[in-house]
Amino acid sequence: MRKLLIFLVKIYQRVISPALPSSCRYYPTCSTYMIDALKKFGPVLGLVMGICRIFRCNPFVRGGVDPVPDKFTIFRNPHPEKYEDEIIAKKFHPYVK
């Protein structure tokens, strides 16, 4: 089930997403977040987290860095600075190379 959901998201990323204007307000994008959540939490909880992230990604929020947290939650990651990612590191520590 997990592989099928990841496959569907990748189809979206390759076929549908390029035809639409870029509108995701978060890093990583909502589709990448969905894949990461599915890998980390399985098909049920990962799907719930991904859908909640899509609902959070709207014109009324500022957006920003929001990686998949270590524990299941439907809310935004409160501490994105704890994750080892090049873009996240530059966001929170701009002078560190």
Side-chain angles (χ1 to χ4, degrees), residues 57-95:
C57 188
N58 63 65
F60 304 107
V61 298
R62 197 173 97 217
V65 178
D66 182 29
V68 177
D70 292 329
K71 294 182 181 178
F72 173 79
T73 180
I74 60 170
F75 302 107
R76 185 176 174 155
N77 189 343
H79 299 290
E81 69 275 2
K82 292 182 180 178
Y83 293 84
E84 294 298 324
D85 183 279
E86 185 176 324
I87 293 175
I88 295 172
K90 286 181 184 177
K91 168 85 174 153
F92 289 99
H93 309 289
Y95 304 110

Side-chain angles (χ1 to χ4, degrees), residues 11-62:
I11 293 292
Y12 164 81
Q13 286 178 329
R14 291 190 180 110
V15 177
I16 299 170
S17 183
L20 301 173
S22 179
S23 61
C24 189
R25 300 179 176 279
Y26 290 105
Y27 173 83
T29 63
C30 293
S31 57
T32 303
Y33 183 95
M34 174 78 83
I35 290 172
D36 293 344
L38 288 167
K39 288 179 180 177
K40 196 173 220 179
F41 293 102
V44 176
L45 295 178
L47 187 62
V48 169
M49 287 181 75
I51 290 171
C52 289
R53 166 68 178 275
I54 292 168
F55 285 140
R56 283 196 313 265
C57 188
N58 63 65
F60 304 107
V61 298
R62 197 173 97 217

